[in-house]
């Protein structure tokens, strides 16, 4: 399991107006939460989290000059147009306490059924597990070499490291090989829903403008 150190700044001011000003400076508003610390607002440098948001890496989070917490990136939001991270959530963790996370499923080998003209359908790309932080695998492997046309493999067929508990149903189908005429096609409604989900935040830097926020900025402009 990878481990990083990230330095962040503690902030006392919260709200959409503060978040907008941070983003305009090229910074990311964030928060860390946990049973020992409650919830603490942060300021994050985007360069420090580049390439880390989609991993289960353990992070030594240095908060200012005095505080340090062990954490993981639990969630983040992106601007739907520019692709920039606009908010990030850290979760406090303890190395001796198990946590639930999702890990990607890595397909290993080439299915015999595909070599015979079948089409491989991967219906599940990640599973949820429960593990000590140090035992969390970067990915779990599923060997499809012996998969023939008409066959499928389930979650129970995935190679799971010792000490890791699978929370996803073991009977869920992960991959299957079908004939081209039987190729599974997702519902059009699902595709449209995924492609055109209404963003949680809109407007400049992908942020929703709350009532009164524009007035706040106009007032600040007058003061300047």
């Amino acid at each position: 399991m990878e481990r990083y150190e990230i330095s962040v700044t503690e902030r006392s001011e919260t709200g959409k107006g503060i978040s907008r000003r941070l983003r305009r400076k090229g910074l990311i508003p964030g928060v860390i939460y946990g049973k020992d610390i409650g919830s603490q607002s942060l300021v994050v440098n985007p360069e420090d989290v580049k390439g880390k948001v989609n991993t289960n890496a353990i992070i030594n989070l240095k908060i200012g000059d005095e505080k340090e917490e062990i954490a993981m990136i639990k969630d983040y939001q992106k601007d739907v147009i520019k692709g920039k991270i606009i908010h990030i959530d850290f979760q406090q963790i303890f190395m001796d306490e198990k946590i639930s996370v999702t890990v990607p499923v890595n397909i290993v080998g080439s299915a015999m059924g595909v070599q015979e003209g079948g089409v491989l359908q991967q219906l599940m790309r990640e599973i949820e597990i429960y593990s000590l932080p140090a035992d969390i695998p970067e990915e779990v492997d599923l060997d499809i070499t012996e998969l023939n046309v008409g066959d499928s493999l389930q979650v129970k067929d995935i190679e799971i490291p010792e000490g890791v508990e699978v929370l996803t149903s073991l009977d869920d189908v992960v991959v299957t090989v079908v004939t081209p005429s039987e190729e599974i096609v997702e519902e059009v409604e699902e595709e449209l829903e995924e492609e055109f989900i209404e963003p949680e935040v809109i407007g400049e830097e992908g942020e929703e403008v709350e009532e009164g926020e524009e007035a706040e900025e106009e007032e600040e402009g007058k003061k300047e």
Side-chain angles (χ1 to χ4, degrees), residues 135-154:
D135 294 335
I136 297 173
E138 292 185 17
E139 59 187 14
V140 288
D141 293 334
L142 179 60
D143 190 344
I144 64 169
T145 305
E146 302 297 323
L147 204 59
N148 291 302
V149 175
D151 291 344
S152 62
L153 292 174
Q154 299 169 301

Side-chain angles (χ1 to χ4, degrees), residues 49-111:
V49 294
K50 185 179 293 184
K52 300 178 178 68
V53 294
N54 289 317
T55 71
N56 285 319
I58 297 170
I59 298 171
N60 293 332
L61 196 67
K62 298 187 68 176
I63 306 173
D65 296 326
E66 299 180 357
K67 298 181 183 179
E68 185 169 341
E69 300 289 347
I70 301 176
M72 296 181 72
I73 295 176
K74 189 65 175 179
D75 196 13
Y76 64 94
Q77 296 174 5
K78 274 189 172 184
D79 182 291
V80 294
I81 297 175
K82 298 182 179 180
K84 294 181 180 179
I85 297 174
I86 59 174
H87 194 275
I88 190 163
D89 291 351
F90 295 93
Q91 178 184 358
Q92 179 191 34
I93 63 172
F94 302 89
M95 299 305 292
D96 59 350
E97 292 185 10
K98 292 186 175 183
I99 58 173
S100 61
V101 296
T102 57
V103 294
V105 178
N106 177 46
I107 301 300
V108 178
S110 178

Side-chain angles (χ1 to χ4, degrees), residues 155-219:
V155 172
K156 62 186 177 184
D157 299 309
I158 296 175
E159 297 178 26
I160 304 297
E162 186 176 352
V164 175
E165 178 184 349
V166 178
L167 299 181
T168 304
S169 172
L170 298 180
D171 295 326
D172 284 355
V173 175
V174 181
V175 293
T176 184
V177 175
V178 299
T179 60
S181 61
E182 297 173 332
E183 185 174 353
I184 298 174
V185 179
E186 294 183 2
E187 292 291 337
V188 175
E189 291 81 0
E190 283 187 16
E191 293 181 353
L192 290 175
E193 184 179 350
E194 291 179 3
E195 193 169 345
F196 297 104
I197 289 179
E198 183 180 352
E200 296 180 14
V201 284
I202 59 176
E204 184 171 355
E205 289 300 333
E207 184 169 10
E208 183 179 3
V209 179
E210 285 195 333
E211 187 176 336
E213 195 170 88
E214 291 182 349
E216 177 188 347
E217 292 189 354
E218 288 178 5
E219 186 65 27

Side-chain angles (χ1 to χ4, degrees), residues 125-137:
R125 299 188 179 275
E126 61 183 21
I127 62 171
E128 186 176 10
I129 64 169
Y130 187 62
S131 168
L132 290 173
D135 294 335
I136 297 173

